[in-house]
Amino acid sequence: MPRHARPTVVLVHGAFADASGFARVIPELTAADLKVVAPAVPNRSLVDDAAYVASVVRAVDGPVILVGHSYGGAVITLAGAEDNVRALVYLAGYALEEGESLGELQGRFPDSGLADALVYTPFPVAGSDETGTDVSVAVDRFPALFAADVDPALAAVLAVSQRPLAARAFSEKAPVAAWKSKPSWGLVATSDRTINPDVERHGYERAGMTVVEVDSSHLVMLSQPKAVAELIQDAVRSTAH
């Protein structure tokens, strides 16, 4: 593929994490001569987070492969409608239907082990007397639920450096589902204890995605980086023209 036609891979992290979760995938992609952008998602609101990621995508000169992990899957479902997005890749993620919220999709399936490990903390909202609510994972529960197959020392660091998700993001409905117009790939983490793997499968199958299943915890990018990079490269190759 001519270098000028090579897409940029935009990696979108999810809740309770940040872009450092892609630390083992990024070298795999750059070694394949792919440009990578891994923005910090605010994790304040599904619609607002998607608008921010869409602005990152628009700033890229050329085609984009948009990758979302976990809640990042919901974000790319909206942001993927940008004209220069050529494909979507979901990693243990939520593929929402138009008009559907995270809570609605998740509520159709039995809870994962995450449900009773969530911690709710108020935070100030600029310009308002009301407070928002941050959702995070209890630090002592995080390694087993989120990162069971990740190095324990790293999992301990991730547990205390979480990027929380504002509770409002769970109830906001997706105004668009970009997978309806963009080719999409999905990875199911079969040992996921954060999102029920059947939630992942349902969203992917409903969208008609190309699906792979990997024996991994929720943090598949850290535990199985080569499998993740290969799926992204499949999307790159399949959309090349």
Side-chain angles (χ1 to χ4, degrees):
M1 191 186 306
R3 183 167 180 81
H4 70 271
R6 300 287 280 177
T8 297
V9 178
V10 177
L11 301 170
V12 180
H13 69 78
F16 323 130
D18 60 27
S20 67
F22 293 106
R24 297 188 67 195
V25 171
I26 291 171
E28 299 281 342
L29 299 176
T30 55
D33 199 29
L34 290 167
K35 294 178 290 183
V36 178
V37 176
V41 182
N43 283 4
R44 299 291 80 182
S45 150
L46 175 59
V47 172
D48 292 346
D49 291 342
Y52 173 72
V53 171
S55 75
V56 172
V57 168
R58 287 194 299 272
V60 173
D61 182 16
V64 165
I65 305 295
L66 193 53
V67 181
H69 172 247
S70 190
Y71 167 69
V75 173
I76 72 169
T77 298
L78 280 60
E82 290 299 311
D83 290 343
N84 59 329
V85 173
R86 295 291 178 265
L88 307 172
V89 180
Y90 291 77
L91 306 174
Y94 296 101
L96 298 179
E97 173 61 278
E98 186 175 331
E100 181 179 58
S101 70
L102 283 168
E104 288 169 342
L105 173 56
Q106 196 158 261
R108 298 192 186 103
F109 297 87
D111 283 339
S112 69
L114 181 70
D116 65 355
L118 296 176
V119 176
Y120 301 89
T121 308
F123 67 87
V125 176
S128 173
D129 293 333
E130 297 183 3
T131 58
T133 301
D134 260 341
V135 184
S136 59
V137 182
V139 169
D140 62 337
R141 302 282 301 279
F142 183 100
L145 288 173
F146 220 70
D149 52 1
V150 173
D151 178 76
L154 175 57
V157 171
L158 298 174
V160 300
S161 58
Q162 295 176 54
R163 192 179 188 100
L165 179 65
R168 64 179 287 195
F170 289 97
S171 59
E172 290 181 304
K173 297 180 185 295
V176 64
W179 49 257
K180 293 188 174 185
S181 59
K182 307 291 172 82
S184 303
W185 283 255
L187 183 150
V188 176
T190 60
S191 296
D192 200 333
R193 296 182 61 197
T194 298
I195 300 177
N196 182 334
D198 286 338
V199 173
E200 300 165 20
R201 291 186 184 101
H202 173 74
Y204 301 167
E205 290 166 5
R206 178 173 63 181
M209 295 187 195
T210 300
V211 179
V212 300
E213 301 214 354
V214 177
D215 184 11
S216 169
S217 71
H218 192 57
L219 286 183
V220 64
M221 313 89 69
L222 288 171
S223 67
Q224 299 285 346
K226 290 187 182 298
V228 169
E230 183 58 35
L231 186 64
I232 294 168
Q233 291 179 72
D234 283 348
V236 171
R237 288 188 287 267
S238 296
T239 56
H241 40 256

